[in-house]
Amino acid sequence: MTRLFNEPSAFADEMIDGFVAANSAQVRRVSGGVVRSTVSTPGTVAVVIGGGSGHYPAFGGIVGQGLAHGAAMGNLFASPSAQQVHSVAAAANLGGGVLLTYGNYAGDVLNFTAAQDRLNSEGIETRTVVVTDDIASAPLAEKHKRRGIAGDLTVFKAAAAASEAGYSLDEVVRVAELANERTRSFGVAFTGCTLPGAAEPLFTIPEGRMGVGIGIHGEPGIDETDVPTADGLAELFVSTLLSELPEGISSPDGQRAAVLLNGLGSVKYEELFVVYRRVAQLLEEAGVVIVEPEVGELVTSFDMAGASLTLFWLGTEEGSELERFWRAPADTPAYRKGSVGAVEQAAPAPTEALDAGLTENIPPATDDSRAAAAVAAAALQAIAEVIDENVGELGRIDAVAGDGDHGIGMQRGSRAASSAAVELLAVGSGARTLLQRSGDAWADRAGGTSGALWGVALRAIGDTLGDSDAASGAAVAAGVRGATTGILGFGAVVGDKTMVDALVPFADALEAGIAAGRPLTQAWADAADAATTAAAATAQLLPKMGRARPHAEKSLGTPDAGAHSFALIVQRIATVLKEQDSK
Amino acid sequence: MTRLFNEPSAFADEMIDGFVAANSAQVRRVSGGVVRSTVSTPGTVAVVIGGGSGHYPAFGGIVGQGLAHGAAMGNLFASPSAQQVHSVAAAANLGGGVLLTYGNYAGDVLNFTAAQDRLNSEGIETRTVVVTDDIASAPLAEKHKRRGIAGDLTVFKAAAAASEAGYSLDEVVRVAELANERTRSFGVAFTGCTLPGAAEPLFTIPEGRMGVGIGIHGEPGIDETDVPTADGLAELFVSTLLSELPEGISSPDGQRAAVLLNGLGSVKYEELFVVYRRVAQLLEEAGVVIVEPEVGELVTSFDMAGASLTLFWLGTEEGSELERFWRAPADTPAYRKGSVGAVEQAAPAPTEALDAGLTENIPPATDDSRAAAAVAAAALQAIAEVIDENVGELGRIDAVAGDGDHGIGMQRGSRAASSAAVELLAVGSGARTLLQRSGDAWADRAGGTSGALWGVALRAIGDTLGDSDAASGAAVAAGVRGATTGILGFGAVVGDKTMVDALVPFADALEAGIAAGRPLTQAWADAADAATTAAAATAQLLPKMGRARPHAEKSLGTPDAGAHSFALIVQRIATVLKEQDSK
């Protein structure tokens, strides 16, 4: 239960303010997150981490000497936007290139990748290593699909220590990849978490039961059992992790390993220590030499009750490269070891204002295009309204198979876009300018996967409409086709049960209706019905094979959240178009 | 909710094992708790802290360079026994004297004072400073009655830094007393906590409500309100603490202060940061210069949801003695700042076995006394049984006005005593030896107030019975009188609504019955009835005036836990005596 908040939508921002106020010796705020407030060595690689908020100390809490140079801090459980990642990386850049490293979640991959492209295009050499330590999240053969959980810390720390050692970007990437290969985690959870202002937990687990392998946002796990004893949990953790040793390690006997026992939030230190007692015994019985273990809260999930065990395999040789990097000193708000030596406070740099220039340099537009822009603004307002009405339901639907952030992400994005559109309309923007800049506002404020996709969609429609022409049915259909092409470019295909399952039939129907000579309002309404039918068809009708899902009973009949919100939106816009016609 | 445990009664011990295994770089285990595993400066003052477990990082988590030299770690929410405190202090002693410093709770005061007496008698000069920072726990005029909460940390840290600076014991005491005078805390809670194996929380607060000024074991607070916003809580915290400035500080304007925003367990870091944002703003508006703030979990209450704010007033001068001590480096498992420089691991010392010598050197005893010892052992077994049957109820009763540990403390103590008695009987102990050694086992294993009192009681009865004579009614009555005198020596008086409200009428009735020539069994049964009547009369019939109590409705009609358990015990022993007679 989250009790202490003001306006729920301001929570993440206020949290970062308070965090920075309390930890100014190590971090300072920049647009999109935080960077070190202390001087780092010029010319070294900047290690930039990030992800959604709600996982403290991940990610801002582990910025500082010996660990990350900066952290992009998204909204609660939502990826930072590409602009946030870019802004933090640019501020953290020391001239030696940038390593982006973060847990493997679709929204993060999308936004960090876009930021990487922009950084590289600006001449800041940027590479990426995603963390994939959660062995329950995909089979070994699909290791690249695994999620990142508490193993974030070992990968980040190895990379950062390599940077402190003066390694080149190539070498830092090599170390980070090796650390990721050598890091394996396995987690369990007993309860869901409740986001600020939410009336109910994101998901629930029956009292006395334990979700095995469940993700840190409640992503489906591999089993559900009764809660074991502390020793029983230690045995489950250790036996599972010893059953999947990294490549090249045939037996745990004689191997050295860092051990992290991580609490997700509501599990107490005392409970973790009772579990750790048995974990250490079991590892020692297996011949593992434990190196500088950590027991505590390293990557949390708000107030979720649960825990995970991470093994970071350092090899048989004492003082190996990975072991030196694990043992290296660090001084961050939430993670400190050894002594980093004397540090100097960096001079504060001006922070980039996110809204700078929204209404500056507005290109000239015709009256026709301004009329189209007014309809677009009305549509954006309608989108914000329909999302507001459905925000709770969208979150619940998303929590069944995803990370539960869809409702709040769409809300932040659509509100930002609608509010930008009002300002842009007032300064005489045409349709292209209004849709492009509103789309940027959506992507930036929403973060996450949906934010990036909707930003692309609005920008594509704006590109097609331009700032001169009236919005003909053909132009709108072409714009929607352009948006579809842009979104498919991220790799989803129809049938994956994502937003594109509704988007593609919608674009097809709209195009066909216009081609058949129907007026836009009619063609849109028909296409919206097609989207609604297609969105409903994304519902899982049978449990996925192979992997047991604690939420199986809930997931049956629940559509994909992105497809569902898409259908709600295009239906509401159909209403807006009808109202416009009747004016 | 506590989910991860094995045998609940083994929880605290297993927790300490795991804690030490995870933090061997800073701490090592000794009988009764932990001491630094690193070398400290010989001849300096040893700062020994402690208290019940369940408050991590208090108390073991803040042992290490720059902070405590050792921590006596009691059972969950129960004071360590005098023997535990003694053992830790003796292991921590560096030859410069010992400062015992801990939060002001009756059980801790009792046991630490007994340990101090023993240390002083052994030539280890020992002094005490109790922490009394919780301004809600008593009015300013009775500051000495206030409880210690998160302000523990500032007092411990100031004392420890003074020791590291080479201060004498007198000077360390002066610094600790000054730090305590300058430290004020104020806390709130939203939920109770659930101890391992307990089916229900120790206490509850209605959903959506907040206990204001409630203690870290659920001790009654001063008000109950709706849960405010994060900013509202910040305003309550700051306005309350600014309304009671320490002596000599007339205005906050220009004052420097360390600020601690402490989470009790289930409140998340993110929530604390949102609250801290406003706390910092308000303090800055009042002219306070914030010095090295801490936001996090410093003194917890298991999984209780709640928070407290602590201000440690350092004075107007930058770099004052208190400020230097606050800023001084520390390296402990849970609290690190700055760099303590190179440290050296200390050679491990052998740990003292608690049970050593239980059945060694048994004095000779007559058959008569062995027969009396057998009855005493049967009585101790009956005590353990009646406590087992009532352990949950005793905890709940105690949580109304106290810290909720009465049931589990009595259970640990009575089980230890009964189990010691069985061993002692087997090796031929007389009544004195059996009762004395069983009483020591009770006091040592139970810790807390009740442990110390029952230890004294059994020892006193044993002293009177001796190892030679049969247990006459007169001897038993005299023993009970001796126990009463010993317990009254701790300062409680009849009418305070404690155990002595039942004990004194029991002793009086027993004595009168024996004097009137009634057989022991009859006299005991009558006296037990008197105790039961007297225990029931300890129930509060009206709410206490002046200070609102969130549990007021529950406290009405609830007897004192110590008096109630005493009555249950003497009634059960009456049954044992009747059974013995009928054999």
Side-chain angles (χ1 to χ4, degrees):
Chain A
M1 186 75 198
T2 299
R3 294 176 184 81
L4 295 173
F5 52 86
N6 299 306
E7 176 57 39
S9 63
F11 187 90
D13 266 339
E14 294 185 344
M15 181 272 288
I16 300 174
D17 282 343
F19 162 67
V20 173
N23 294 285
S24 58
Q26 287 122 339
V27 296
R28 73 178 161 79
R29 185 147 194 186
V30 294
S31 177
V34 295
V35 297
R36 294 184 185 177
S37 64
T38 52
V39 172
S40 303
T41 313
T44 54
V45 175
V47 175
V48 174
I49 65 175
S53 292
H55 302 297
Y56 193 85
F59 294 91
I62 50 175
V63 170
Q65 295 288 321
L67 248 157
H69 292 79
M73 298 170 76
N75 241 293
L76 290 172
F77 285 10
S79 163
S81 67
Q83 181 168 345
Q84 286 182 297
V85 176
H86 174 270
S87 158
V88 170
N93 176 34
L94 296 163
V98 171
L99 172 68
L100 300 178
T101 178
Y102 51 90
N104 186 32
Y105 297 89
D108 292 295
V109 171
L110 214 148
N111 286 290
F112 276 82
T113 302
Q116 170 170 299
D117 292 346
R118 187 169 155 200
L119 290 161
N120 277 318
S121 75
E122 291 168 351
I124 300 177
E125 196 186 354
T126 304
R127 307 273 295 276
T128 291
V129 175
V130 292
V131 182
T132 56
D133 59 314
D134 180 1
I135 71 170
S137 56
L140 181 57
E142 298 184 302
K143 188 171 189 302
H144 63 284
K145 288 190 180 173
R146 287 179 171 175
R147 299 183 293 259
I149 52 174
D152 279 350
L153 181 69
T154 61
V155 178
F156 299 166
K157 183 153 194 320
S163 160
E164 303 278 355
Y167 280 34
S168 70
L169 182 56
D170 277 354
E171 283 290 282
V172 171
V173 168
R174 176 186 65 76
V175 168
E177 283 174 345
L178 177 61
N180 184 52
E181 166 55 24
R182 295 291 191 82
T183 300
R184 308 286 160 116
S185 302
F186 187 64
V188 299
F190 311 111
T191 69
C193 52
T194 308
L195 297 180
E200 288 178 18
L202 208 50
F203 66 98
T204 56
I205 297 172
E207 186 60 40
R209 300 284 285 174
M210 174 172 86
V212 178
I214 205 162
I216 59 172
H217 314 94
E219 295 93 339
I222 56 175
D223 199 3
E224 190 183 285
T225 68
D226 285 345
V227 175
T229 61
D231 284 359
L233 181 60
E235 281 147 26
L236 174 68
F237 276 158
V238 172
S239 65
T240 306
L241 287 178
L242 292 188
S243 72
E244 194 199 290
L245 299 173
E247 226 173 281
I249 298 182
S250 56
S251 155
D253 193 22
Q255 293 289 334
R256 303 171 67 81
V259 178
L260 284 70
L261 183 61
N262 177 57
L264 284 184
S266 289
V267 164
K268 294 313 305 158
Y269 300 107
E270 286 86 350
E271 295 177 271
L272 293 176
F273 288 132
V274 172
V275 175
Y276 182 73
R277 169 182 166 275
R278 186 71 187 136
V279 165
Q281 288 169 353
L282 291 165
L283 288 173
E284 281 157 17
E285 284 167 18
V288 177
V289 180
I290 297 174
V291 179
E292 297 194 357
E294 291 289 340
V295 178
E297 298 187 337
L298 305 164
V299 174
T300 63
S301 288
F302 231 75
D303 60 336
M304 198 162 151
S308 64
L309 184 69
T310 298
L311 297 183
F312 178 29
W313 297 96
L314 304 169
T316 52
E317 180 205 344
E318 189 172 350
S320 67
E321 181 182 59
L322 287 183
E323 181 165 332
R324 280 186 287 116
F325 290 158
W326 174 244
R327 287 181 181 273
D331 185 9
T332 75
Y335 186 83
R336 292 167 204 169
K337 73 193 313 181
S339 166
V340 297
V343 293
E344 196 184 329
Q345 288 290 306
T351 55
E352 188 186 319
L354 285 178
D355 280 337
L358 175 67
T359 55
E360 284 170 23
N361 304 318
I362 300 293
T366 64
D367 284 352
D368 276 351
S369 186
R370 286 181 187 159
V375 178
L380 287 167
Q381 191 188 321
I383 294 177
E385 285 167 6
V386 73
I387 295 300
D388 272 353
E389 291 160 19
N390 290 280
V391 62
E393 189 201 356
L394 291 174
R396 278 190 297 278
I397 291 176
D398 188 38
V400 171
D403 57 10
D405 71 346
H406 188 72
I408 53 174
M410 289 291 288
Q411 187 176 50
R412 280 193 308 270
S414 60
R415 283 179 176 182
S418 174
S419 144
V422 170
E423 286 189 58
L424 288 160
L425 201 61
V427 295
S429 301
R432 182 210 304 262
T433 303
L434 183 136
L435 281 164
Q436 285 187 339
R437 297 194 185 188
S438 301
D440 287 351
W442 185 318
D444 187 49
R445 292 301 170 78
T449 309
S450 64
L453 300 184
W454 279 92
V456 163
L458 297 188
R459 182 169 268 278
I461 298 171
D463 275 345
T464 311
L465 295 184
D467 279 337
S468 309
D469 300 335
S472 70
V476 171
V480 169
R481 174 60 60 199
T484 307
T485 307
I487 286 173
L488 289 172
F490 287 113
V493 293
V494 175
D496 278 358
K497 303 203 182 297
T498 69
M499 173 179 168
V500 304
D501 280 18
L503 169 63
V504 170
F506 175 80
D508 290 348
L510 182 63
E511 222 164 40
I514 296 294
R518 282 197 281 278
L520 174 61
T521 301
Q522 181 59 44
W524 187 286
D526 294 345
D529 289 344
T532 299
T533 305
T538 60
Q540 304 283 346
L541 298 178
L542 291 170
K544 279 194 187 163
M545 299 298 291
R547 298 171 87 74
R549 296 159 60 96
H551 308 303
E553 75 292 346
K554 278 176 65 188
S555 73
L556 298 183
T558 305
D560 171 69
H564 184 61
S565 65
F566 178 83
L568 291 174
I569 284 170
V570 292
Q571 287 288 2
R572 183 64 58 98
I573 293 174
T575 310
V576 171
L577 293 175
K578 277 178 207 153
E579 285 164 5
Q580 296 285 335
D581 283 355
S582 66
K583 273 186 190 167
Chain B
M1 185 76 198
T2 300
R3 293 176 185 81
L4 296 172
F5 52 86
N6 299 305
E7 175 57 39
S9 63
F11 187 89
D13 266 339
E14 294 186 345
M15 181 271 289
I16 301 174
D17 283 344
F19 162 67
V20 172
N23 295 285
S24 59
Q26 286 121 340
V27 296
R28 73 178 162 79
R29 186 148 193 184
V30 294
S31 178
V34 295
V35 297
R36 294 183 185 177
S37 65
T38 53
V39 172
S40 304
T41 314
T44 54
V45 175
V47 175
V48 173
I49 64 175
S53 292
H55 302 297
Y56 191 86
F59 294 92
I62 49 176
V63 170
Q65 294 289 320
L67 248 157
H69 293 79
M73 297 169 77
N75 240 294
L76 290 173
F77 285 10
S79 163
S81 67
Q83 181 168 347
Q84 286 181 296
V85 176
H86 175 271
S87 159
V88 171
N93 176 34
L94 295 163
V98 170
L99 172 68
L100 300 178
T101 178
Y102 51 90
N104 186 32
Y105 296 89
D108 293 295
V109 171
L110 214 148
N111 286 291
F112 276 82
T113 302
Q116 169 170 302
D117 292 346
R118 188 170 154 199
L119 289 161
N120 277 319
S121 75
E122 291 167 352
I124 300 177
E125 196 187 354
T126 303
R127 308 271 295 276
T128 290
V129 176
V130 292
V131 182
T132 56
D133 59 313
D134 180 1
I135 70 169
S137 57
L140 181 57
E142 298 183 301
K143 188 169 188 302
H144 63 285
K145 288 190 180 173
R146 287 180 172 174
R147 300 183 293 258
I149 52 173
D152 280 350
L153 180 69
T154 61
V155 177
F156 298 167
K157 181 151 195 323
S163 160
E164 303 279 354
Y167 280 34
S168 69
L169 182 56
D170 277 354
E171 284 289 282
V172 171
V173 168
R174 176 187 64 76
V175 168
E177 284 174 344
L178 177 61
N180 184 52
E181 165 56 23
R182 293 291 191 83
T183 299
R184 309 286 160 115
S185 302
F186 187 65
V188 299
F190 311 112
T191 69
C193 53
T194 308
L195 296 180
E200 288 178 20
L202 208 49
F203 65 98
T204 57
I205 298 172
E207 187 59 40
R209 300 284 285 173
M210 174 172 87
V212 178
I214 205 163
I216 58 173
H217 314 93
E219 295 93 338
I222 56 174
D223 199 3
E224 190 182 286
T225 69
D226 285 345
V227 174
T229 61
D231 284 359
L233 180 60
E235 280 148 26
L236 173 68
F237 276 159
V238 172
S239 65
T240 307
L241 287 178
L242 292 189
S243 73
E244 195 199 291
L245 299 173
E247 225 173 283
I249 298 183
S250 56
S251 155
D253 193 22
Q255 293 290 333
R256 303 172 67 80
V259 179
L260 284 71
L261 183 62
N262 176 56
L264 284 183
S266 289
V267 164
K268 293 313 305 159
Y269 300 107
E270 285 87 349
E271 296 177 270
L272 294 177
F273 288 132
V274 172
V275 175
Y276 182 74
R277 170 183 164 276
R278 186 72 188 134
V279 165
Q281 288 169 353
L282 291 166
L283 288 173
E284 280 157 16
E285 283 167 19
V288 177
V289 180
I290 298 173
V291 178
E292 297 194 357
E294 291 289 340
V295 178
E297 297 187 338
L298 305 164
V299 175
T300 64
S301 289
F302 232 75
D303 60 336
M304 198 162 151
S308 64
L309 184 70
T310 297
L311 297 182
F312 177 29
W313 297 96
L314 304 169
T316 53
E317 180 205 345
E318 189 171 350
S320 67
E321 181 181 59
L322 287 184
E323 182 165 332
R324 280 186 287 113
F325 290 158
W326 175 244
R327 287 180 181 274
D331 185 8
T332 74
Y335 187 84
R336 293 168 203 167
K337 74 194 311 182
S339 166
V340 297
V343 293
E344 196 185 328
Q345 289 290 305
T351 55
E352 188 185 318
L354 286 177
D355 280 339
L358 175 67
T359 55
E360 284 169 22
N361 304 319
I362 300 292
T366 63
D367 285 352
D368 277 351
S369 186
R370 286 181 188 160
V375 177
L380 286 168
Q381 190 188 323
I383 293 176
E385 285 167 6
V386 73
I387 294 300
D388 273 351
E389 291 161 18
N390 290 279
V391 63
E393 189 201 357
L394 291 173
R396 279 190 296 279
I397 291 177
D398 188 38
V400 172
D403 57 10
D405 71 345
H406 188 72
I408 52 174
M410 290 291 288
Q411 187 176 51
R412 280 194 308 273
S414 60
R415 283 180 175 180
S418 174
S419 145
V422 169
E423 287 189 58
L424 288 160
L425 202 60
V427 294
S429 302
R432 181 209 305 259
T433 303
L434 183 136
L435 281 164
Q436 283 186 341
R437 297 193 186 189
S438 300
D440 286 350
W442 185 317
D444 187 48
R445 292 301 170 78
T449 309
S450 64
L453 300 184
W454 279 93
V456 163
L458 297 188
R459 182 168 267 277
I461 298 170
D463 275 344
T464 310
L465 296 183
D467 279 337
S468 310
D469 299 336
S472 69
V476 171
V480 169
R481 174 60 61 199
T484 308
T485 307
I487 286 174
L488 289 172
F490 287 113
V493 293
V494 175
D496 278 358
K497 302 200 183 298
T498 69
M499 172 179 167
V500 304
D501 280 19
L503 170 63
V504 170
F506 175 81
D508 290 349
L510 182 63
E511 222 164 42
I514 297 294
R518 282 197 280 278
L520 174 61
T521 301
Q522 182 58 46
W524 187 286
D526 293 345
D529 289 343
T532 300
T533 305
T538 61
Q540 303 284 346
L541 298 178
L542 291 170
K544 279 194 186 164
M545 298 300 289
R547 298 170 85 75
R549 294 158 62 97
H551 308 303
E553 75 293 348
K554 280 176 64 187
S555 73
L556 299 184
T558 305
D560 172 69
H564 184 61
S565 65
F566 178 82
L568 291 174
I569 285 170
V570 293
Q571 288 287 4
R572 184 63 59 99
I573 293 174
T575 309
V576 171
L577 293 176
K578 277 178 207 153
E579 286 165 5
Q580 296 284 335
D581 282 355
S582 66
K583 273 186 190 168

